[in-house]
Amino acid sequence: MSSEKHTHDISPTFVDDELNADLKSLDSDALVLAQMGYTQDLKRNYTWFSLLGVGFSLTNSWWGISAALITGINSGGPVQIIYGLIFFALISTCVGISLSELASALPNAGGQYFWANELAPRKYANFASYLTGYFAWAGSLFTSASVALATSSAGVGCWQLSHPDFVIKPWHVYVGYLVINAFAFIWNCYARWLPVVAQISLFTSLISFFVIMVTVPAAANTHQNAKFVFATFANATGWNQNGIAFIVGLINTNYAFACLDCATHLAEEVHRPERQVPIAIMGTVAIGFVTSWFFSISQFFSISNLPDLQATPTLVPILQLFYQALGSTAGAIVLEAMFMATGIWCLVASHTWQSRLCWSFARDGGLPGSKFLSHVDRRVDVPLRAHIASCFIVCILGLLYLGSYTAFNSMVTACIVLLYISYAIPVVCLLIKGRNTIRHGPFWLGPVGLFSNIVLLLWTCFTLIMYSFPPVRPVVAGNMNYVSAVYGVVVLIIVIDWFVRGKRGYRGQSLRHEEVDAHLTGEVVH
């Protein structure tokens, strides 16, 4: 690494000797933030453990496997999930390393959009950052929509299980979706609650995981053999090619490791983020793999009839699995209630994440109404306006389910791919700039980091193409994968907003650097 001192090197280990008395009065974390061109607007209430709680509560790998199980069991069965989890643990380790290196070198609540702005060539920096910010925020909104939809579907499924004559309609699920979204909204309206809620979320998830993992196989009257669990491939998609069916089903296991950037957007709410954020990211991957893999094995050994799971009238395969194993409606509902409790806290974490993304992007002029959305309500110490706006959009996205039962699959796909694109853009910028041309943070893995960057980019390209395939055949309007239309709408919004407003009003790399220099010299930037 070059020893040359760069004018705008903003590593957390760097302190400029020319900082004025006002900057010197700040603590080290706020000082680093000031060197980036930002003020300390939020309190640093999080610890490394509560940060891990938010990160894992959102990714929640065992819950993600259960929520999207309908895709996995139809597109590969046990083989898809058991080996898919191992594969995605490796992919996600590379993704986690890539994010952790950047979060350690450039800790900022903007996360990937800020990194893109700092690392891209000056000519393209603002647009690269703009794209990244929009893709990241859109990904977070679709994540919240998918979590709320899965949790609501679980609740409606419990009602159907206890009332066999009840036929589930999309509007039933949407009503539950709105209620659950409102509940998660309330919990995010007061900053002091959130670190405690994050720890509650973590323990709720781990306790639910353990209880379900032990109870289901212990109560099951029959158990599958090892060949069924580790060597059974099932294709109920209508695709003649098993390879395509398997790829389509990867969405299930990929969903179990989505949203790894969550902790990066809390970098301004934890002390020493250059160290704490990487711990949260890599800890989320490790805990996620261990819980999801052992959970999946225990559940597949307990299945008595796979076709019943694929065609359950509850529309919730994991609930049908609980019912098969326990032989009791009440028992199955109790276990599903634990799944729902985990899902609700997962949605609370997702609301925290999406609101911070909206707020941080808006403070740089990245969204229409940025001045309004970038406001932090001092009474509750949260970006309340950004939170309200994000939740409102999530409510609107839920309407997609009224038009298609496969909307959940499209939401999951959109959340995965849009987030991967938002990770890939700053990584491309880093590789173009040169990994050794920036000041490294405490978490930096050299050649391993470079390998991880390449894996992330290759996998992003793969998902962008292959995850756009229809989940089942023959394709009709009701089961079409509309994720390509989602991409088109998101890109259209970005392009229109960029030329109408953003190109002139975005506070990008050049302006921020000028403001920092002016503050150091006492000049005024117009």
Side-chain angles (χ1 to χ4, degrees):
M1 182 173 64
S2 172
S3 61
E4 181 183 357
K5 180 178 175 181
H6 300 284
T7 304
H8 296 293
D9 193 334
I10 51 180
S11 160
T13 61
F14 174 70
V15 178
D16 196 316
D17 293 333
E18 298 178 355
L19 288 173
N20 60 25
D22 182 52
L23 288 179
K24 288 180 179 178
S25 67
L26 301 174
D27 65 36
S28 59
D29 295 322
L31 179 58
V32 170
L33 197 58
Q35 290 177 288
M36 294 178 181
Y38 300 98
T39 58
Q40 182 70 57
D41 293 323
L42 299 174
K43 294 181 180 178
R44 296 184 184 265
N45 292 322
Y46 284 85
T47 64
W48 73 268
F49 188 70
S50 56
L51 192 65
L52 175 62
V54 175
F56 179 73
S57 296
L58 178 56
T59 300
N60 237 322
S61 298
W62 75 267
W63 186 91
I65 284 292
S66 303
L69 190 62
I70 186 65
T71 303
I73 63 172
N74 285 333
S75 305
V79 162
Q80 162 69 259
I81 294 173
I82 296 300
Y83 297 107
L85 284 171
I86 297 175
F87 173 73
F88 278 110
L90 298 175
I91 292 289
S92 298
T93 297
C94 293
V95 174
I97 288 172
S98 298
L99 295 178
S100 294
E101 284 190 330
L102 288 170
S104 184
L106 301 167
N108 186 282
Q112 53 267 49
Y113 95 78
F114 174 79
W115 306 333
N117 197 243
E118 282 296 315
L119 299 173
R122 178 168 294 193
K123 182 178 179 181
Y124 307 105
N126 284 6
F127 188 63
S129 176
Y130 211 72
L131 281 175
T132 307
Y134 256 110
F135 283 136
W137 188 46
S140 71
L141 296 174
F142 279 106
T143 300
S144 292
S146 66
V147 172
L149 190 57
T151 307
S152 175
S153 296
V156 176
C158 288
W159 181 263
Q160 198 285 330
L161 185 65
S162 60
H163 299 78
D165 295 331
F166 178 71
V167 178
I168 298 175
K169 302 293 184 183
W171 70 267
H172 298 145
V173 177
Y174 183 63
V175 170
Y177 174 99
L178 293 177
V179 172
I180 292 168
N181 199 50
F183 179 86
F185 167 82
I186 293 170
W187 279 101
N188 269 277
C189 288
Y190 191 59
R192 279 195 172 183
W193 295 344
L194 293 177
V196 176
V197 167
Q199 296 178 50
I200 293 173
S201 302
L202 177 60
F203 286 117
T204 299
S205 177
L206 294 179
I207 291 170
S208 299
F209 150 75
F210 183 77
V211 170
I212 296 172
M213 183 185 69
V214 172
T215 301
V216 171
N221 291 325
T222 60
H223 295 89
Q224 296 289 347
N225 56 36
K227 181 179 180 181
F228 174 83
V229 176
F230 295 102
T232 298
F233 186 91
N235 181 2
T237 64
W239 284 98
N240 294 326
Q241 303 91 345
N242 284 340
I244 297 295
F246 183 84
I247 290 172
V248 169
L250 284 174
I251 294 170
N252 179 200
T253 39
N254 204 158
Y255 187 57
F257 290 95
C259 318
L260 290 178
D261 64 300
C262 174
T264 69
H265 304 292
L266 296 171
E268 295 173 31
E269 297 176 66
V270 63
H271 290 289
R272 301 174 69 200
E274 69 278 3
R275 297 182 182 275
Q276 311 296 12
V277 172
I279 290 174
I281 293 173
M282 301 311 296
T284 294
V285 175
I287 299 173
F289 171 68
V290 171
T291 55
S292 60
W293 201 65
F294 284 104
F295 177 85
S296 298
I297 290 174
S298 72
Q299 301 310 293
F300 283 130
F301 269 116
S302 307
I303 292 175
S304 60
N305 189 321
L306 183 59
D308 279 356
L309 266 65
Q310 296 169 323
T312 174
T314 67
L315 305 181
V316 184
I318 195 67
L319 174 59
Q320 185 66 27
L321 193 159
F322 295 160
Y323 180 68
Q324 283 185 5
L326 275 65
S328 163
T329 299
I333 291 175
V334 168
L335 293 186
E336 191 69 9
M338 300 185 77
F339 168 87
M340 289 180 63
T342 302
I344 289 171
W345 291 125
C346 176
L347 185 59
V348 171
S350 190
H351 278 202
T352 305
W353 172 48
Q354 71 183 17
S355 66
R356 299 313 189 268
L357 258 169
C358 179
W359 162 74
S360 60
F361 194 37
R363 69 181 175 177
D364 283 325
L367 295 169
S370 286
K371 187 174 182 180
F372 177 82
L373 294 173
S374 62
H375 174 75
V376 174
D377 192 317
R378 297 301 176 190
R379 296 169 299 177
V380 291
D381 199 34
V382 296
L384 195 56
R385 295 173 183 175
H387 178 42
I388 293 171
S390 299
C391 289
F392 176 75
I393 295 174
V394 171
C395 290
I396 300 300
L397 290 177
L399 293 172
L400 295 174
Y401 189 72
L402 299 179
S404 171
Y405 275 110
T406 59
F408 174 74
N409 190 73
S410 297
M411 288 181 186
V412 168
T413 305
C415 112
I416 292 170
V417 178
L418 290 174
L419 288 174
Y420 275 144
I421 294 173
S422 77
Y423 304 160
I425 294 174
V427 168
V428 168
C429 295
L430 174 65
L431 295 180
I432 292 174
K433 184 179 181 69
R435 286 174 52 85
N436 288 326
T437 62
I438 68 169
R439 190 176 292 273
H440 303 163
F443 186 97
W444 193 266
L445 299 186
V448 175
L450 176 60
F451 174 79
S452 299
N453 294 162
I454 294 171
V455 170
L456 168 58
L457 297 180
L458 292 176
W459 185 247
T460 299
C461 294
F462 180 86
T463 58
L464 182 60
I465 298 170
M466 302 306 297
Y467 283 6
S468 298
F469 280 48
V472 296
R473 296 190 67 186
V475 180
V476 296
N479 64 19
M480 179 63 184
N481 187 350
Y482 291 99
V483 73
S484 297
V486 172
Y487 301 153
V489 171
V490 172
V491 170
L492 182 63
I493 291 172
I494 294 172
V495 171
I496 291 175
D497 188 46
W498 172 254
F499 284 106
V500 170
R501 185 195 59 83
K503 189 175 183 179
R504 297 185 303 275
Y506 189 59
R507 179 177 178 258
Q509 177 191 116
S510 299
L511 181 57
R512 279 190 297 99
H513 289 178
E514 288 174 10
E515 289 175 354
V516 172
D517 288 341
H519 194 68
L520 293 176
T521 59
E523 297 175 357
V524 178
V525 177
H526 297 285

